[in-house]
Amino acid sequence: MANLSTQQFLEFAQIKKGTIILKNKTLRGILMVSSLNFALKSEEEQAAIIYQFQAFLNSLDFSCQIIVQSRRTNITGYFDKLKELEKKQENELLKIQTIEYRKFVESLVEEETIMRKTFFVVVPYSLGEVKDTNKGLIGGFFRKPKIPRLSEEDFKRCRSQLWQRMEFVAIGLRRCGLSVVPLTTPELIELFWSWHHPKEAEVGYYPEILPDLIK
């Protein structure tokens, strides 16, 4: 059996200028979105948020993908800082309180895993979007799709259209009271790496990103 590299199993071919280029030459941009505590809002605020989000969804004329990443929170560093405070604390009463607090948090972590959720919106764009609409239904089903050639000029044009879509999505989500930022090339590399190496990412280890990859 021939040796296969991990890259052969990945769906994307390249990450360039904050843009993911898939193997079929379609593009993807990823927005990281904040969360809000909906339960703490008043009924009027909840209704306003729901209305804004509904209006945002109805305004879309392209598909988007919402991804929720759940990751176990590693607080080993926090425990180490508490232990340092214990050693430096001169007030005996405060020292005892710090010790009790650390033990309480440790017991809490042992009983229940603390998870951290991160939210992303994936926005697509394809070079052949306009061309594909001219194909008939039969041709769309029975004709084997050809992978288009993505020249540098095509990439610049498609990326410009993609970022316009991303800005449109960002504006709609900000109206719902959310913070939205597009991921850069290094952030996209770290995101994909953490998905495939969750245990290493949990303890805060990330590989060094070579300067040549940051374009």
Side-chain angles (χ1 to χ4, degrees):
M1 185 176 180
N3 293 328
L4 299 176
S5 64
T6 305
Q7 192 170 359
Q8 291 179 269
F9 296 95
L10 301 177
E11 293 186 9
F12 62 92
Q14 187 180 6
I15 299 176
K16 182 179 179 181
K17 295 184 178 179
T19 306
I20 303 166
I21 304 176
L22 302 185
K23 290 182 178 179
N24 61 1
K25 304 305 179 184
T26 59
L27 307 185
R28 298 291 187 274
I30 297 184
L31 299 167
M32 185 168 66
V33 185
S34 68
S35 60
L36 53 83
N37 199 324
F38 188 77
L40 294 181
K41 302 292 184 180
S42 65
E43 291 185 5
E44 292 79 8
E45 289 174 322
Q46 290 180 354
I49 293 171
I50 293 174
Y51 173 79
Q52 286 291 349
F53 189 67
Q54 183 181 19
F56 160 70
L57 293 178
N58 291 334
S59 67
L60 295 176
D61 59 357
F62 52 87
S63 62
C64 287
Q65 184 180 12
I66 299 175
I67 297 176
V68 182
Q69 183 189 58
S70 298
R71 183 182 297 168
R72 181 182 299 174
T73 302
N74 187 288
I75 57 175
T76 304
Y78 181 62
F79 287 143
D80 293 339
K81 290 183 179 180
L82 289 178
K83 290 178 181 179
E84 290 179 7
L85 288 175
E86 293 173 16
K87 295 178 181 178
K88 296 179 181 179
Q89 189 59 256
E90 297 179 356
N91 187 302
E92 191 64 26
L93 179 60
L94 291 177
K95 186 174 184 178
I96 293 173
Q97 290 178 341
T98 305
I99 294 173
E100 292 298 324
Y101 172 72
R102 177 175 58 81
K103 290 181 179 179
F104 167 74
V105 176
E106 287 177 345
S107 64
L108 188 66
V109 173
E110 289 177 359
E111 294 176 1
E112 186 174 352
T113 302
I114 300 176
M115 304 296 291
R116 177 169 58 91
K117 293 186 181 294
T118 312
F119 302 88
F120 303 96
V121 175
V122 183
V123 183
Y125 190 82
S126 171
L127 176 63
E129 281 189 19
V130 178
K131 297 178 181 178
D132 289 343
T133 57
N134 297 326
K135 294 181 180 180
L137 182 62
I138 296 178
F141 274 105
F142 294 99
R143 187 182 303 168
K144 185 177 180 181
K146 294 182 179 180
I147 298 178
R149 179 180 174 274
L150 188 67
S151 64
E152 185 63 26
E153 187 64 28
D154 290 334
F155 171 75
K156 291 180 180 179
R157 181 164 58 88
C158 291
R159 182 179 180 274
S160 176
Q161 294 295 322
L162 173 64
W163 281 73
Q164 287 183 29
R165 283 187 173 183
M166 292 172 66
E167 181 60 25
F168 181 82
V169 172
I171 291 173
L173 293 175
R174 288 179 185 131
R175 288 173 178 167
C176 300
L178 302 169
S179 298
V180 185
V181 292
L183 295 186
T184 61
T185 295
E187 291 168 340
L188 288 170
I189 294 173
E190 290 184 356
L191 176 64
F192 283 114
W193 189 91
S194 66
W195 276 341
H196 291 86
H197 303 82
K199 292 184 178 179
E200 291 86 347
E202 180 185 324
V203 297
Y205 171 76
Y206 286 90
E208 181 181 0
I209 300 176
L210 299 177
D212 294 340
L213 296 177
I214 307 175
K215 294 180 181 180

